[in-house]
Amino acid sequence: KNEVEQSPQNLTAQEGEFITINCSYSVGISALHWLQQHPGGGIVSLFMLSSGKKKHGRLIATINIQEKHSSLHITASHPRDSAVYICAVGSQGNLIFGKGTKLSVKP
Amino acid sequence: GAGVSQTPSNKVTEKGKYVELRCDPISGHTALYWYRQSLGQGPEFLIYFQGTGAADDSGLPNDRFFAVRPEGSVSTLKIQRTERGDSAVYLCASSQDGNYGYTFGSGTRLTVV
């Protein structure tokens, strides 16, 4: 079993839909990261959180430490949100990465 | 510069050769991280620097891999006797002190032929 599991692996949505990507982990962590990777592009850090909830624009990330689970929500999705979203957990840079969720938002 | 800069962006080398990959972090960021991403996979941790010292090098796959950060800013990842399995995108990230979000570079795509 992978230490970081993301679901779904692939997600296709229509523009405007509310999107949820889930991440479950089995190791102890000090922080969880949500990252965005565009095709052929670099990685952008979206959130780093260790408890509760964070919001940035249309993106919301939540984490439940007791349940070892985090969700990334995208409200009013747009085609430019199409990317691979990666969950990573760990401490002090020694991160374990999930395999990513490939999101495609159709106009 | 404003972001994390990695050079070269692409490197093709022959099996058995030595390569150096460079990472120039955001000015003032004390924490620097190296990761490796193989095709279709998520990144894997290699090594983490806090200042000049390697705080955690447990992700380096074997002794062919070595990284330095002599002045606490630019870091170089060195790979000796490259093998085809070393082909991957090597990512560098930096953080203000490890307790803030990371900024990633665009990566160096290494191809060993």
Side-chain angles (χ1 to χ4, degrees):
Chain A
K1 188 182 189 308
N2 292 329
E3 291 167 301
V4 180
E5 296 270 5
Q6 286 186 237
S7 62
Q9 281 186 293
N10 291 280
L11 179 57
T12 299
Q14 287 298 125
E15 184 173 357
E17 285 185 1
F18 179 83
I19 287 161
T20 296
I21 299 170
N22 295 299
C23 175
S24 296
Y25 54 93
S26 57
V27 295
I29 68 169
S30 63
L32 180 144
H33 299 250
W34 280 104
L35 310 168
Q36 180 192 56
Q37 186 169 37
H38 283 277
I43 291 177
V44 174
S45 177
L46 300 174
F47 295 103
M48 177 178 169
L49 63 165
S50 55
S51 65
K53 175 180 173 179
K54 286 190 176 180
K55 184 176 189 294
H56 183 68
R58 296 180 293 107
L59 302 178
I60 303 166
T62 63
I63 187 169
N64 184 318
I65 297 292
Q66 287 74 31
E67 294 186 4
K68 295 189 173 179
H69 180 269
S70 175
S71 293
L72 176 69
H73 306 285
I74 305 175
T75 61
S77 60
H78 191 276
R80 66 175 174 265
D81 297 327
S82 299
V84 175
Y85 291 83
I86 302 172
C87 170
V89 304
S91 59
Q92 292 294 45
N94 191 338
L95 300 178
I96 303 170
F97 293 78
K99 293 190 188 303
T101 294
K102 186 174 181 180
L103 172 66
S104 178
V105 182
K106 305 293 186 189
Chain B
V4 176
S5 175
Q6 289 189 247
T7 54
S9 54
N10 279 285
K11 175 73 177 175
V12 180
T13 191
E14 291 181 347
K15 179 174 176 293
K17 299 288 189 185
Y18 168 83
V19 296
E20 289 190 352
L21 312 179
R22 176 187 167 109
C23 173
D24 204 336
I26 290 176
S27 178
H29 279 195
T30 61
L32 184 146
Y33 316 91
W34 282 101
Y35 303 94
R36 175 169 75 171
Q37 186 173 24
S38 300
L39 192 62
Q41 303 293 317
E44 299 174 288
F45 169 75
L46 294 176
I47 186 170
Y48 151 55
F49 286 92
Q50 185 62 255
T52 59
D56 185 347
D57 65 357
S58 61
L60 294 177
N62 52 60
D63 61 7
R64 295 187 296 106
F65 288 75
F66 189 71
V68 296
R69 195 185 185 200
E71 296 176 0
S73 54
V74 171
S75 176
T76 305
L77 178 65
K78 308 180 181 197
I79 311 175
Q80 297 178 318
R81 305 183 304 280
T82 51
E83 299 177 357
R84 293 200 178 89
D86 299 335
S87 297
V89 174
Y90 288 80
L91 295 162
C92 176
S94 71
S95 173
Q96 192 170 330
D97 65 0
N99 295 318
Y100 295 88
Y102 299 3
T103 301
F104 283 81
S106 298
T108 293
R109 182 176 298 279
L110 175 67
T111 304
V112 182
V113 297

